[in-house]
Amino acid sequence: MKTYYNPEDLKKFSKIGNFQKKLADKFFDYYGEVFAEGELSAREKSLIALAVAHAIQCPYCIDAYTSDSLEKGWTEGQMMEAVHVAGAIRGGASLVHGVQMMNKVNDLTM
Amino acid sequence: MKSLLAQKHKFSDSKAQIEFLEENRGFPLFADSLKSCGIFPLKPAGIDIFQMNIGKMCNQVCKHCHVDAGPDRKEIMTRETMEICLSVIRNNPEIQTVDLTGGAPEMNPEFFWFVEEVSKLNRKIIVRCNLTIILANKKYHILPEFFKEHKVEVVSSLPFYNAQRTDSQRGEGVFEKSIRAIQMLNEVGYGKENSGLMLNLVYNPAGAFLPAAQAILEGQFKQQLSRQFGIVFNHLFTITNMPISRFLEYLIQTENYEDYMDKLISAFNPAAATGVMCRNTLSIGWDGQIYDCDFNQMLELNVSGASKHIRDFDKQSLLTREIVLNQHCFGCTAGSGSSCGGATT
């Protein structure tokens, strides 16, 4: 069955360089640097990436950072809490626009 | 959960496992990976560790077990074979460590006698104790004191510091019993500073993923086990699951086999390949057969050369042998490496 997302495609990510090498190289260098040990540990960054993957709903990133989080020693509970953080921010981002709606209602009504 | 043997599963025959591992799926050959870093053929560096699998019988049936151990397994090393092993250990002072594994090695009726005999030879003794055996029967309640008396280093699997992941791999209720057993070991001094009694725990992933960094995970285990249960231990060894036996069956059933092999192969680390345990270890099967490691033992891949049984032990032949390799060996060379003593780099 053909689908837009194929799990096998994740393994081909580096092949984006076949069409535009210079930019791909710059991106992957940057990506590697971002996830290296820094003021945040590589372990902490993995859990942040897992949360962000859910916020942007990227199935490739969810697969990749679920594996990576397990391999960095995070528990199922910790991983789900991180997903809830993403959910709370996404939910909050919608709800906070309720204030804009209220402002507009106030503008339009007596 | 039943052993593969009890299920009459095709993988209870090691030849079927080897055939499966060798099927062409486009994976590079392990031997070629060693060639690419100049360490083929792989040769031993010495015989420091004499690991004996003294029986496949076990009180647990763990999902990932590479031995396919369980209560139904009757393969047990005899006293006669142990006596030959004792003679080899006695006559080869370079053997520094005698490492006893199983199954649950304590279930071998000659276990207590054998440990007493080895301790007279002044070698380091390791017992790979599954913890729950200590509580399984009254006759095993003395194990912590017995280990202490013979200065045995205890190495015990605890796949995680919570029940969910431990029990999912080792069986319902195993976590709770393991915690109680560790507390009993702590009570006689194991794992405590300056006691000289070593208690090392083993983490292996409860699924198709690689272990976390050993030092980081050790810190987490120490913090969590101390906080939740007042437990102390010395070191945590992280071990990668080998794609053989029950874990191989699990990988195939969950459609994780190809991705897992990809992961092991992508993570091939030449430094880990140089430090693989088969270079300084011999593995003796319950029937006295000699292997390069416990994994080769379970695949019935005997050592090369003439010295294939402990009664024919020939140090020169063993030191000059070529180590037998197959695709499962990628498990020992992935990432930080993996051995019975944890990460190798």
Side-chain angles (χ1 to χ4, degrees):
Chain A
M1 187 178 75
K2 277 193 171 181
T3 62
Y4 282 100
Y5 287 114
N6 179 353
E8 291 302 307
D9 286 348
L10 178 57
K11 293 175 195 160
K12 302 173 193 162
F13 188 13
S14 63
K15 291 198 164 63
I16 64 164
N18 292 355
F19 280 14
Q20 223 299 352
K21 187 168 182 328
K22 188 176 156 194
L23 291 177
D25 287 348
K26 281 179 184 287
F27 170 78
F28 287 118
D29 281 351
Y30 166 75
Y31 195 97
E33 193 72 25
V34 165
F35 282 94
E37 295 285 334
E39 294 195 29
L40 289 172
S41 67
R43 185 167 181 269
E44 289 164 333
K45 290 174 184 179
S46 180
L47 195 65
I48 294 170
L50 181 71
V52 174
H54 283 78
I56 61 170
Q57 295 174 304
C58 166
Y60 299 118
C61 313
I62 291 171
D63 272 6
Y65 284 97
T66 298
S67 281
D68 198 59
S69 294
L70 287 169
E71 289 176 357
K72 296 267 188 315
W74 292 110
T75 66
E76 288 85 340
Q78 289 165 328
M79 289 159 66
M80 189 55 85
E81 281 188 26
V83 172
H84 276 288
V85 170
I89 294 295
R90 277 194 70 121
S94 293
L95 285 172
V96 74
H97 286 81
V99 178
Q100 186 182 344
M101 177 270 284
M102 289 164 75
N103 290 342
K104 192 67 181 172
V105 167
N106 287 337
D107 288 348
L108 295 176
T109 58
M110 286 184 276
Chain B
M1 177 91 195
K2 284 182 174 175
S3 69
L4 295 174
L5 187 70
Q7 293 173 47
K8 297 188 170 65
H9 193 284
K10 67 173 180 176
F11 283 162
S12 62
D13 177 359
S14 60
K15 287 186 192 73
Q17 293 183 53
I18 293 168
E19 273 171 28
F20 184 86
L21 288 167
E22 289 180 340
E23 271 175 32
N24 184 4
R25 290 182 175 78
F27 295 138
L29 296 177
F30 183 73
D32 288 342
S33 297
L34 291 191
K35 279 176 198 165
S36 71
C37 50
I39 48 172
F40 181 85
L42 191 64
K43 305 285 275 186
I47 307 173
D48 306 330
I49 301 169
F50 192 82
Q51 188 176 65
M52 297 168 60
N53 193 310
I54 62 173
K56 296 186 179 181
M57 187 180 282
C58 192
N59 58 316
Q60 291 184 190
V61 188
C62 301
K63 275 187 191 162
H64 70 301
C65 182
H66 69 282
V67 179
D68 193 29
D72 61 306
R73 301 304 301 258
K74 307 298 180 210
E75 300 92 331
I76 286 285
M77 186 178 281
T78 62
R79 186 184 277 228
E80 186 192 358
T81 304
M82 287 178 171
E83 277 170 347
I84 303 171
C85 290
L86 276 172
S87 158
V88 167
I89 297 162
R90 189 180 297 114
N91 296 331
N92 291 278
E94 66 275 26
I95 295 174
Q96 296 157 10
T97 301
V98 177
D99 183 341
L100 301 181
T101 186
E106 302 88 342
M107 292 178 87
N108 183 312
E110 308 292 353
F111 172 79
F112 290 91
W113 165 80
F114 187 69
V115 170
E116 282 167 3
E117 292 302 308
V118 178
S119 72
K120 291 175 192 165
L121 303 177
N122 291 321
R123 312 299 167 90
K124 176 172 157 182
I125 307 172
I126 294 174
V127 171
R128 296 189 182 267
C129 171
N130 72 14
L131 296 172
T132 63
I133 191 71
I134 295 174
L135 302 166
N137 186 301
K138 229 177 196 172
K139 66 181 174 186
Y140 300 124
H141 293 357
I142 58 157
L143 279 168
E145 283 292 349
F146 178 76
F147 289 149
K148 179 183 177 177
E149 187 187 340
H150 297 285
K151 297 185 178 59
V152 167
E153 177 178 320
V154 178
V155 176
S156 296
S157 281
L158 189 71
F160 215 62
Y161 49 77
N162 65 28
Q164 182 189 357
R165 242 189 251 174
T166 301
D167 289 0
S168 75
Q169 184 186 82
R170 296 177 76 78
E172 192 73 30
V174 166
F175 181 73
E176 200 182 326
K177 287 179 194 161
S178 300
I179 293 299
R180 178 67 200 120
I182 298 174
Q183 286 167 337
M184 288 167 73
L185 288 162
N186 281 170
E187 280 161 21
V188 301
Y190 269 97
K192 295 199 170 162
E193 243 179 282
N194 303 320
S195 71
L197 298 170
M198 298 294 287
L199 170 61
N200 296 321
L201 299 182
V202 172
Y203 163 93
N204 60 294
F209 56 96
L210 297 183
Q214 187 167 274
I216 292 172
L217 207 54
E218 180 180 296
Q220 284 174 251
F221 265 65
K222 284 191 168 172
Q223 186 190 44
Q224 292 292 331
L225 290 175
S226 165
R227 196 167 68 191
Q228 295 181 57
F229 309 105
I231 279 172
V232 290
F233 66 96
N234 297 98
H235 300 293
L236 183 78
F237 299 155
T238 55
I239 298 187
T240 303
N241 290 315
M242 296 294 129
I244 66 168
S245 195
R246 279 184 211 153
F247 189 68
L248 176 60
E249 157 66 4
Y250 160 81
L251 289 173
I252 295 166
Q253 286 305 318
T254 55
E255 298 182 0
N256 276 307
Y257 175 71
E258 302 224 344
D259 283 348
Y260 189 72
M261 287 304 293
D262 256 343
K263 199 182 272 278
L264 295 181
I265 291 164
S266 307
F268 177 78
N269 177 356
T274 309
V276 281
M277 64 179 175
C278 49
R279 298 195 64 213
N280 71 343
T281 302
L282 274 188
S283 165
I284 315 300
W286 67 275
D287 53 357
Q289 301 283 329
I290 305 178
Y291 304 90
D292 296 299
C293 71
D294 205 39
F295 305 112
N296 279 7
Q297 181 181 143
M298 298 314 146
L299 291 171
E300 298 180 288
L301 296 169
N302 274 94
V303 283
S304 61
S307 196
K308 292 192 189 300
H309 192 279
I310 196 64
R311 68 175 166 259
D312 305 317
F313 185 90
D314 179 300
K315 188 162 66 181
Q316 209 44 42
S317 162
L318 290 164
L319 283 172
T320 53
R321 75 192 194 275
E322 284 186 17
I323 292 169
V324 176
L325 309 168
N326 208 303
Q327 294 300 81
H328 64 292
C329 302
F330 276 115
C332 283
T333 56
S336 303
S338 179
S339 73
C340 290
T344 54
T345 59

